[in-house]
PDB file of all heavy atoms in Angstrom:
ATOM      1  N   LEU B  31      42.089  13.412   4.095  1.00  0.00           N
ATOM      2  CA  LEU B  31      43.276  13.640   3.265  1.00  0.00           C
ATOM      3  C   LEU B  31      42.878  14.326   1.917  1.00  0.00           C
ATOM      4  O   LEU B  31      43.749  15.013   1.337  1.00  0.00           O
ATOM      5  CB  LEU B  31      43.919  12.369   2.934  1.00  0.00           C
ATOM      6  CG  LEU B  31      44.570  11.613   4.105  1.00  0.00           C
ATOM      7  CD1 LEU B  31      45.233  10.366   3.540  1.00  0.00           C
ATOM      8  CD2 LEU B  31      45.617  12.603   4.735  1.00  0.00           C
ATOM      9  N   GLN B  32      41.721  14.182   1.566  1.00  0.00           N
ATOM     10  CA  GLN B  32      41.249  14.995   0.239  1.00  0.00           C
ATOM     11  C   GLN B  32      41.376  16.446   0.503  1.00  0.00           C
ATOM     12  O   GLN B  32      40.760  16.978   1.459  1.00  0.00           O
ATOM     13  CB  GLN B  32      39.830  14.477  -0.242  1.00  0.00           C
ATOM     14  CG  GLN B  32      39.738  13.092  -0.659  1.00  0.00           C
ATOM     15  CD  GLN B  32      40.238  13.030  -2.188  1.00  0.00           C
ATOM     16  OE1 GLN B  32      40.007  14.065  -2.819  1.00  0.00           O
ATOM     17  NE2 GLN B  32      40.879  11.898  -2.431  1.00  0.00           N
ATOM     18  N   LYS B  33      41.844  17.152  -0.476  1.00  0.00           N
ATOM     19  CA  LYS B  33      41.834  18.585  -0.324  1.00  0.00           C
ATOM     20  C   LYS B  33      40.452  19.240  -0.683  1.00  0.00           C
ATOM     21  O   LYS B  33      39.862  19.876   0.061  1.00  0.00           O
ATOM     22  CB  LYS B  33      42.885  19.129  -1.341  1.00  0.00           C
ATOM     23  CG  LYS B  33      44.261  19.000  -1.006  1.00  0.00           C
ATOM     24  CD  LYS B  33      44.738  19.940   0.010  1.00  0.00           C
ATOM     25  CE  LYS B  33      46.220  19.911   0.350  1.00  0.00           C
ATOM     26  NZ  LYS B  33      46.694  18.616   0.658  1.00  0.00           N
ATOM     27  N   LYS B  34      39.868  18.887  -1.873  1.00  0.00           N
ATOM     28  CA  LYS B  34      38.696  19.364  -2.320  1.00  0.00           C
ATOM     29  C   LYS B  34      37.620  18.557  -1.651  1.00  0.00           C
ATOM     30  O   LYS B  34      37.711  17.677  -0.920  1.00  0.00           O
ATOM     31  CB  LYS B  34      38.506  19.413  -3.707  1.00  0.00           C
ATOM     32  CG  LYS B  34      38.799  18.028  -4.382  1.00  0.00           C
ATOM     33  CD  LYS B  34      38.553  18.082  -5.895  1.00  0.00           C
ATOM     34  CE  LYS B  34      38.484  16.807  -6.713  1.00  0.00           C
ATOM     35  NZ  LYS B  34      39.028  15.627  -6.259  1.00  0.00           N
ATOM     36  N   ASN B  35      36.430  19.167  -1.821  1.00  0.00           N
ATOM     37  CA  ASN B  35      35.088  18.369  -1.129  1.00  0.00           C
ATOM     38  C   ASN B  35      34.970  17.060  -1.782  1.00  0.00           C
ATOM     39  O   ASN B  35      34.766  16.776  -2.948  1.00  0.00           O
ATOM     40  CB  ASN B  35      33.913  19.314  -1.537  1.00  0.00           C
ATOM     41  CG  ASN B  35      32.754  18.860  -0.525  1.00  0.00           C
ATOM     42  OD1 ASN B  35      32.894  17.640  -0.047  1.00  0.00           O
ATOM     43  ND2 ASN B  35      31.761  19.659  -0.424  1.00  0.00           N
ATOM     44  N   ALA B  36      35.047  16.063  -1.006  1.00  0.00           N
ATOM     45  CA  ALA B  36      35.081  14.757  -1.338  1.00  0.00           C
ATOM     46  C   ALA B  36      33.643  14.036  -1.124  1.00  0.00           C
ATOM     47  O   ALA B  36      33.657  12.788  -1.160  1.00  0.00           O
ATOM     48  CB  ALA B  36      36.157  13.823  -0.802  1.00  0.00           C
ATOM     49  N   SER B  37      32.816  14.838  -0.898  1.00  0.00           N
ATOM     50  CA  SER B  37      31.418  14.372  -0.495  1.00  0.00           C
ATOM     51  C   SER B  37      30.816  13.350  -1.489  1.00  0.00           C
ATOM     52  O   SER B  37      30.293  12.224  -1.057  1.00  0.00           O
ATOM     53  CB  SER B  37      30.444  15.489  -0.235  1.00  0.00           C
ATOM     54  OG  SER B  37      29.208  15.158  -0.538  1.00  0.00           O
ATOM     55  N   LEU B  38      30.813  13.696  -2.780  1.00  0.00           N
ATOM     56  CA  LEU B  38      30.260  12.746  -3.820  1.00  0.00           C
ATOM     57  C   LEU B  38      30.957  11.463  -3.753  1.00  0.00           C
ATOM     58  O   LEU B  38      30.325  10.372  -3.763  1.00  0.00           O
ATOM     59  CB  LEU B  38      30.252  13.457  -5.144  1.00  0.00           C
ATOM     60  CG  LEU B  38      29.704  12.555  -6.310  1.00  0.00           C
ATOM     61  CD1 LEU B  38      28.223  12.320  -6.014  1.00  0.00           C
ATOM     62  CD2 LEU B  38      30.089  13.271  -7.668  1.00  0.00           C
ATOM     63  N   MET B  39      32.302  11.568  -3.883  1.00  0.00           N
ATOM     64  CA  MET B  39      33.184  10.289  -3.976  1.00  0.00           C
ATOM     65  C   MET B  39      32.744   9.382  -2.830  1.00  0.00           C
ATOM     66  O   MET B  39      32.539   8.253  -2.738  1.00  0.00           O
ATOM     67  CB  MET B  39      34.593  10.584  -4.086  1.00  0.00           C
ATOM     68  CG  MET B  39      35.424   9.458  -4.404  1.00  0.00           C
ATOM     69  SD  MET B  39      37.237   9.888  -4.234  1.00  0.00           S
ATOM     70  CE  MET B  39      37.495  10.038  -2.473  1.00  0.00           C
ATOM     71  N   LEU B  40      32.845  10.001  -1.593  1.00  0.00           N
ATOM     72  CA  LEU B  40      32.762   9.326  -0.419  1.00  0.00           C
ATOM     73  C   LEU B  40      31.212   8.575  -0.290  1.00  0.00           C
ATOM     74  O   LEU B  40      31.181   7.483   0.180  1.00  0.00           O
ATOM     75  CB  LEU B  40      32.915  10.159   0.834  1.00  0.00           C
ATOM     76  CG  LEU B  40      34.373  10.364   1.112  1.00  0.00           C
ATOM     77  CD1 LEU B  40      34.567  11.210   2.448  1.00  0.00           C
ATOM     78  CD2 LEU B  40      35.206   9.286   1.259  1.00  0.00           C
ATOM     79  N   THR B  41      30.283   9.370  -0.844  1.00  0.00           N
ATOM     80  CA  THR B  41      28.950   8.868  -0.777  1.00  0.00           C
ATOM     81  C   THR B  41      28.956   7.537  -1.629  1.00  0.00           C
ATOM     82  O   THR B  41      28.464   6.589  -1.282  1.00  0.00           O
ATOM     83  CB  THR B  41      27.962   9.775  -1.352  1.00  0.00           C
ATOM     84  OG1 THR B  41      28.079  11.003  -0.529  1.00  0.00           O
ATOM     85  CG2 THR B  41      26.514   9.293  -1.381  1.00  0.00           C
ATOM     86  N   GLN B  42      29.482   7.627  -2.794  1.00  0.00           N
ATOM     87  CA  GLN B  42      29.730   6.479  -3.606  1.00  0.00           C
ATOM     88  C   GLN B  42      30.319   5.325  -2.940  1.00  0.00           C
ATOM     89  O   GLN B  42      29.840   4.230  -3.007  1.00  0.00           O
ATOM     90  CB  GLN B  42      30.196   6.781  -5.007  1.00  0.00           C
ATOM     91  CG  GLN B  42      29.350   7.625  -5.902  1.00  0.00           C
ATOM     92  CD  GLN B  42      30.131   8.374  -6.878  1.00  0.00           C
ATOM     93  OE1 GLN B  42      31.304   8.528  -6.985  1.00  0.00           O
ATOM     94  NE2 GLN B  42      29.290   8.989  -7.905  1.00  0.00           N
ATOM     95  N   LEU B  43      31.508   5.620  -2.390  1.00  0.00           N
ATOM     96  CA  LEU B  43      32.164   4.437  -1.626  1.00  0.00           C
ATOM     97  C   LEU B  43      31.407   3.917  -0.640  1.00  0.00           C
ATOM     98  O   LEU B  43      31.426   2.756  -0.295  1.00  0.00           O
ATOM     99  CB  LEU B  43      33.668   5.116  -1.271  1.00  0.00           C
ATOM    100  CG  LEU B  43      34.632   5.224  -2.323  1.00  0.00           C
ATOM    101  CD1 LEU B  43      35.787   5.920  -1.762  1.00  0.00           C
ATOM    102  CD2 LEU B  43      35.034   4.031  -3.013  1.00  0.00           C
TER     103      LEU B  43
END
Side-chain angles (χ1 to χ4, degrees):
Chain B
L31 291 181
Q32 285 283 324
K33 287 276 187 306
K34 58 182 186 337
N35 192 343
S37 149
L38 177 63
M39 185 189 71
L40 284 186
T41 303
Q42 286 162 347
L43 286 176

